[in-house]
Protein backbone atom coordinates (compact mmCIF):
# COMPACT_ATOMS: atom_id res chain seq x y z
CA UNK A 1 0.00 0.00 0.00
CA UNK A 2 1.39 3.39 -1.00
CA UNK A 3 1.50 5.98 1.77
CA UNK A 4 0.42 9.25 0.22
CA UNK A 5 -0.83 11.29 3.15
CA UNK A 6 -1.12 11.53 6.90
CA UNK A 7 -3.84 13.28 8.85
CA UNK A 8 -3.29 14.31 12.46
CA UNK A 9 -6.53 14.92 14.33
CA UNK A 10 -6.93 17.08 17.40
CA UNK A 11 -8.81 14.16 19.00
CA UNK A 12 -6.97 10.95 17.98
CA UNK A 13 -8.96 8.62 20.22
CA UNK A 14 -8.00 5.42 18.39
CA UNK A 15 -4.38 6.54 17.94
CA UNK A 16 -4.14 7.31 21.66
CA UNK A 17 -4.72 3.67 22.55
CA UNK A 18 -2.19 2.41 20.01
CA UNK A 19 0.45 5.10 20.30
CA UNK A 20 0.27 6.81 23.66
CA UNK A 21 -0.33 3.53 25.49
CA UNK A 22 2.25 1.51 23.56
CA UNK A 23 4.87 -0.49 25.44
CA UNK A 24 8.35 0.27 24.19
CA UNK A 25 11.49 -1.85 24.33
CA UNK A 26 14.07 -0.47 26.78
CA UNK A 27 16.27 0.86 23.98
CA UNK A 28 13.36 2.69 22.32
CA UNK A 29 12.17 4.06 25.66
CA UNK A 30 15.57 5.54 26.57
CA UNK A 31 15.98 6.91 23.05
CA UNK A 32 12.57 8.59 23.42
CA UNK A 33 13.52 10.05 26.80
CA UNK A 34 16.78 11.37 25.34
CA UNK A 35 14.80 13.25 22.68
CA UNK A 36 12.65 15.16 25.20
CA UNK A 37 13.94 18.50 26.56
CA UNK A 38 15.19 18.34 30.16
CA UNK A 39 12.45 20.61 31.53
CA UNK A 40 9.69 18.32 30.22
CA UNK A 41 7.94 15.08 31.14
CA UNK A 42 5.90 12.51 29.20
CA UNK A 43 2.15 12.94 29.41
CA UNK A 44 0.28 10.04 30.96
CA UNK A 45 -2.48 8.26 29.05
CA UNK A 46 -5.08 9.80 31.36
CA UNK A 47 -3.75 13.35 30.99
CA UNK A 48 -3.59 12.92 27.21
CA UNK A 49 -7.21 11.76 27.20
CA UNK A 50 -8.25 14.75 29.32
CA UNK A 51 -6.30 17.13 27.08
CA UNK A 52 -8.29 15.85 24.10
CA UNK A 53 -11.67 15.83 25.87
CA UNK A 54 -11.23 19.41 27.10
CA UNK A 55 -10.14 20.54 23.65
CA UNK A 56 -7.01 22.02 25.15
CA UNK A 57 -5.35 24.92 23.42
CA UNK A 58 -3.09 22.43 21.64
CA UNK A 59 -3.22 22.48 17.85
CA UNK A 60 -1.46 19.66 15.99
CA UNK A 61 0.43 20.90 12.94
CA UNK A 62 2.24 18.85 10.33
CA UNK A 63 4.27 19.54 7.23
CA UNK A 64 4.97 16.77 4.74
CA UNK A 65 7.75 16.26 2.22
CA UNK A 66 6.22 14.71 -0.90
CA UNK A 67 7.97 12.85 -3.73
CA UNK A 68 8.69 15.19 -6.70
CA UNK A 69 6.99 18.10 -4.88
CA UNK A 70 9.08 18.88 -1.79
CA UNK A 71 8.00 20.45 1.50
CA UNK A 72 4.38 21.49 1.82
CA UNK A 73 3.04 24.33 3.95
CA UNK A 74 2.04 23.64 7.56
CA UNK A 75 -1.37 21.94 7.88
CA UNK A 76 -3.60 22.23 10.95
CA UNK A 77 -5.41 19.57 12.94
CA UNK A 78 -7.47 17.28 10.77
CA UNK A 79 -5.75 18.36 7.53
CA UNK A 80 -3.72 15.94 5.43
CA UNK A 81 0.05 16.21 5.12
CA UNK A 82 0.89 14.66 1.77
CA UNK A 83 -1.30 14.20 -1.28
CA UNK A 84 -4.31 12.17 -2.27
CA UNK A 85 -4.98 10.76 -5.72
CA UNK A 86 -1.58 11.79 -7.14
CA UNK A 87 0.36 8.55 -6.51
CA UNK A 88 3.15 10.47 -4.71
CA UNK A 89 4.93 9.09 -1.63
CA UNK A 90 5.04 10.98 1.64
CA UNK A 91 8.78 10.78 2.37
CA UNK A 92 9.23 12.83 5.55
CA UNK A 93 7.30 14.88 8.05
CA UNK A 94 7.71 17.64 10.61
CA UNK A 95 5.20 17.75 13.47
CA UNK A 96 4.54 20.22 16.29
CA UNK A 97 1.87 21.23 18.75
CA UNK A 98 1.20 24.95 18.58
CA UNK A 99 -0.23 27.28 21.18
CA UNK A 100 0.21 25.17 24.28
CA UNK A 101 2.61 23.96 26.93
CA UNK A 102 2.77 20.58 25.18
CA UNK A 103 5.38 19.22 22.78
CA UNK A 104 5.60 16.07 20.71
CA UNK A 105 8.23 13.38 20.14
CA UNK A 106 7.86 11.25 17.03
CA UNK A 107 9.56 8.64 14.89
CA UNK A 108 8.75 7.26 11.45
CA UNK A 109 9.18 3.94 9.70
CA UNK A 110 10.87 4.35 6.32
CA UNK A 111 10.76 1.94 3.38
CA UNK A 112 13.82 -0.36 3.34
CA UNK A 113 15.33 1.51 6.33
CA UNK A 114 13.07 0.82 9.30
CA UNK A 115 12.37 3.00 12.33
CA UNK A 116 14.18 6.34 12.63
CA UNK A 117 15.42 7.80 15.91
CA UNK A 118 12.93 9.73 18.05
CA UNK A 119 12.92 13.50 17.46
CA UNK A 120 11.11 16.17 19.48
CA UNK A 121 9.58 19.55 18.81
CA UNK A 122 7.97 22.10 21.05
CA UNK A 123 5.82 25.04 19.96
CA UNK A 124 7.89 26.62 17.21
CA UNK A 125 8.11 25.57 13.58
CA UNK A 126 11.84 26.26 13.84
CA UNK A 127 12.14 23.50 16.43
CA UNK A 128 10.18 20.90 14.46
CA UNK A 129 12.81 18.43 13.24
CA UNK A 130 12.36 16.26 10.18
CA UNK A 131 11.69 12.55 10.48
CA UNK A 132 12.07 10.50 7.30
CA UNK A 133 14.19 11.04 4.20
CA UNK A 134 14.25 13.44 1.29
CA UNK A 135 15.55 12.82 -2.22
CA UNK A 136 15.87 9.05 -1.76
CA UNK A 137 12.43 7.99 -3.09
CA UNK A 138 11.72 6.14 0.17
CA UNK A 139 8.15 6.27 1.40
CA UNK A 140 7.22 6.92 5.01
CA UNK A 141 5.24 3.85 6.07
CA UNK A 142 4.22 4.62 9.67
CA UNK A 143 4.56 7.15 12.46
CA UNK A 144 4.56 6.90 16.27
CA UNK A 145 4.30 9.84 18.63
CA UNK A 146 4.32 10.67 22.33
CA UNK A 147 3.10 13.88 23.92
CA UNK A 148 5.14 15.69 26.59
CA UNK A 149 4.54 18.83 28.66
CA UNK A 150 6.73 21.50 30.12
CA UNK A 151 7.01 21.45 33.91
Amino acid sequence: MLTTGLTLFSQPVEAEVLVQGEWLADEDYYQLLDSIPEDCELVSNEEYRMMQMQRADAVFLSRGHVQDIGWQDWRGSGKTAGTTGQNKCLEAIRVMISGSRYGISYQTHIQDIGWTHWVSSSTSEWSAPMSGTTGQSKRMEAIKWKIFKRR
Side-chain angles (χ1 to χ4, degrees), residues 1 35 41 54 61 68 76 89 100 105 120 137 139 143 146:
M1 181 173 152
S35 77
E41 62 187 34
Q54 294 171 359
L61 297 170
D68 300 328
C89 291
S100 79
S105 288
S120 294
S137 297
R139 70 179 173 269
I143 186 169
K146 300 281 184 188

Side-chain angles (χ1 to χ4, degrees), residues 22-30 32 107 118 144 146:
E22 176 187 358
W23 289 97
L24 297 174
D26 286 347
E27 179 182 320
D28 290 337
Y29 179 73
Y30 291 120
L32 168 64
Q107 72 176 159
W118 286 93
K144 292 193 249 185
K146 300 281 184 188

Side-chain angles (χ1 to χ4, degrees), residues 28-61:
D28 290 337
Y29 179 73
Y30 291 120
Q31 189 184 85
L32 168 64
L33 290 183
D34 287 344
S35 77
I36 296 173
E38 286 184 25
D39 62 338
C40 300
E41 62 187 34
L42 285 174
V43 171
S44 69
N45 289 340
E46 186 59 32
E47 186 173 354
Y48 181 71
R49 200 178 296 67
M50 292 303 293
M51 178 181 111
Q52 298 306 315
M53 287 173 38
Q54 294 171 359
R55 294 188 182 265
D57 59 352
V59 176
F60 289 85
L61 297 170

